[in-house]
């Protein structure tokens, strides 16, 4: 593939994914890291794509909420995770979901299910699953955040603490081999911790880009949830921590 064709392919991939790491881009194109960096340089210089730490992405769209941008990031991986998890949920069961892009994709994959009971703090998830197929949807109250349309705080935590569900599922910001599940916001971490405690099955869903990241606030250790569903096998240190805690690992597509 020549230089100009690679530029076009890079733009197509970034438009599909939202963001992609330089290493993943090199794999997709079948070229070296040095070649990708050289090809990307003029695209970042003229503002066509935005350079981040070890990755590139689309420039922010004026007026677009951060949550909407995150929905495009690694979208295929998130859909694959959501499709797999949806197959493990049966009609008539109860599901608790916190706000997150992967859990929002899961809500869309659950549109074919019937008579679900759904508990969430996400207005996106509530809108997706309410009033269809005999579902019952309970949404935690409180002030909705402008970026995600989700409710947080004491009232939201107290609301979901009243429920016991079949499947308690959270989407996360970071997964560290020592600290475990982490997030970047105190209220989001506190809410996610409560969600995990309310399910017969407790499940963390995340794409591989969260592996090895250090968040600001710990949600729980590796013994604080029963299963991790992701799109790629985690690095050895995280895999070892999961095994030591007895936490099940499921890789979508594996």
């Amino acid at each position: 593939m020549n230089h100009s064709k690679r530029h076009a392919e890079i733009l197509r991939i970034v438009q599909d994914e939202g963001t992609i790491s330089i290493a993943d881009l090199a794999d997709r194109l079948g070229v070296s890291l040095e070649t990708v960096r050289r090809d990307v340089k003029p695209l970042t210089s003229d503002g066509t794509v935005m350079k981040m730490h070890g990755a590139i992405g689309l420039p922010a769209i004026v007026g677009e909420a951060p949550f909407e941008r995150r929905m495009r990031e690694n979208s295929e991986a998130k859909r694959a995770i959501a499709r797999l998890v949806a197959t493990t949920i049966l009609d008539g069961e109860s599901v608790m979901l916190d706000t997150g892009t992967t859990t929002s994709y899961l809500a869309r994959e659950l549109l074919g299910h019937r008579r679900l009971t759904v508990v969430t703090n996400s207005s996106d998830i509530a809108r997706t699953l309410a009033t269809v197929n005999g579902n019952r949807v309970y949404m935690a109250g409180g002030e909705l955040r402008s970026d995600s349309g989700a409710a947080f705080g004491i009232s939201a935590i107290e609301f979901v603490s009243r429920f016991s569900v079949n499947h308690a599922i959270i989407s996360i910001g970071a997964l560290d081999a020592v600290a475990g599940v982490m997030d970047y916001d105190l209220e989001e971490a506190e809410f996610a911790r409560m969600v995990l405690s309310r399910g017969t099955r407790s499940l963390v869903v995340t794409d591989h880009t969260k592996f090895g990241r250090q968040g600001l606030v710990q949600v729980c250790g590796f013994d604080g949830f029963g299963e991790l569903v992701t799109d790629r096998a985690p690095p050895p240190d995280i895999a070892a921590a999961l095994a030591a805690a007895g936490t099940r690992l499921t890789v979508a597509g594996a």
Side-chain angles (χ1 to χ4, degrees):
M1 189 181 294
N2 64 36
H3 186 73
S4 61
K5 285 185 178 179
R6 274 203 306 273
H7 276 177
E9 183 65 6
I10 289 169
L11 288 175
R12 187 193 66 76
I13 292 170
V14 173
Q15 285 165 358
D16 286 345
E17 298 291 337
T19 63
I20 187 168
S21 72
I22 295 296
D24 285 348
L25 190 57
D27 286 342
R28 293 275 290 271
L29 296 172
V31 297
S32 68
L33 291 172
E34 291 74 18
T35 298
V36 167
R37 291 191 185 103
R38 187 166 58 248
D39 285 343
V40 161
K41 190 171 183 179
L43 298 175
T44 57
S45 297
D46 66 13
T48 303
V49 299
M50 181 173 61
K51 188 176 181 181
M52 296 166 253
H53 181 66
I56 58 171
L58 293 175
I61 298 172
V62 176
E64 183 184 42
F67 183 81
E68 293 170 345
R69 289 200 297 274
R70 293 198 304 274
M71 282 291 284
R72 290 203 311 272
E73 295 172 357
N74 302 302
S75 58
E76 284 307 311
K78 293 171 183 177
R79 286 191 188 97
I81 294 165
R83 281 193 296 267
L84 187 150
V85 174
T87 65
T88 69
I89 298 170
L90 303 177
D91 288 349
E93 288 192 318
S94 53
V95 187
M96 187 177 291
L97 301 165
D98 77 342
T99 187
T101 54
T102 308
T103 46
S104 282
Y105 277 115
L106 175 56
R108 287 150 177 77
E109 293 296 328
L110 291 172
L111 281 169
H113 287 54
R114 303 184 64 81
R115 304 182 311 281
L116 294 175
T117 299
V118 180
V119 184
T120 187
N121 66 328
S122 164
S123 60
D124 177 76
I125 292 171
R127 283 194 308 268
T128 299
L129 292 173
T131 72
V132 296
N133 296 343
N135 295 336
R136 291 189 298 167
V137 176
Y138 297 88
M139 183 170 171
E143 182 180 1
L144 297 186
R145 291 193 179 172
S146 59
D147 64 334
S148 63
F152 291 100
I154 294 173
S155 60
I157 290 173
E158 288 181 346
F159 180 81
V160 298
S161 71
R162 301 170 192 165
F163 295 85
S164 294
V165 297
N166 300 120
H167 310 271
I169 304 171
I170 68 165
S171 180
I172 63 171
L175 190 65
D176 178 73
V178 176
V181 177
M182 305 193 78
D183 216 316
Y184 300 95
D185 180 277
L186 177 61
E187 288 189 325
E188 292 189 27
E190 290 173 339
F191 187 86
R193 191 179 304 121
M194 176 58 72
V195 170
L196 288 176
S197 74
R198 306 314 302 159
T200 302
R201 177 196 189 199
S202 56
L203 178 61
V204 170
V205 293
T206 185
D207 69 83
H208 69 279
T209 63
K210 308 304 191 302
F211 295 154
R213 287 190 183 180
Q214 267 278 350
L216 182 64
V217 186
Q218 185 190 48
V219 175
C220 65
F222 287 95
D223 58 353
F225 59 102
E227 185 177 353
L228 173 71
V229 180
T230 184
D231 64 309
R232 293 188 190 177
D237 55 351
I238 292 177
L242 289 164
T247 304
R248 181 180 177 184
L249 171 66
T250 304
V251 179

